[in-house]
Amino acid sequence: SKMCGIIIVLSTRVDLALKEEVSALQSLIRHRGPDHSGLVHSSENRLIMAPERLVIVDPHSGKQPFVADNGDILAVNG
């Protein structure tokens, strides 16, 4: 059965090489959430988040991850 997937990386460096590596890892779980892929990064918080979303509820406005005006990043599963 399908279900969403989330990759989260905390690192002392958030650079292009790491973002490319996370993107490659994300492609390995794309089947978990075939309806939407997202990838955001924050150098300030040393974070990369890459969710894969399987649409069950709210197919039109549930894209993730959510990024607040202050830069906080959120992805949810379930």
Side-chain angles (χ1 to χ4, degrees):
S1 70
K2 294 181 181 179
M3 59 187 294
C4 299
I6 301 172
I7 296 173
I8 299 173
V9 175
L10 298 172
S11 178
T12 57
R13 65 175 174 81
V14 174
D15 57 16
L16 181 59
L18 184 58
K19 287 185 270 187
E20 289 175 350
E21 188 174 344
V22 170
S23 183
L25 291 171
Q26 185 178 20
S27 70
L28 297 174
I29 66 165
R30 182 119 327 121
H31 66 281
R32 304 271 316 257
D35 299 312
H36 178 75
S37 296
L39 191 144
V40 296
H41 68 280
S42 169
S43 296
E44 180 181 322
N45 296 323
R46 303 182 316 237
L47 167 80
I48 297 177
M49 185 179 295
E52 293 294 322
R53 182 167 184 254
L54 174 65
V55 173
I56 296 172
V57 177
D58 197 11
H60 302 292
S61 64
K63 293 182 180 177
Q64 294 189 49
F66 304 108
V67 180
D69 291 340
N70 67 0
D72 287 348
I73 302 168
L74 171 70
V76 296
N77 188 13

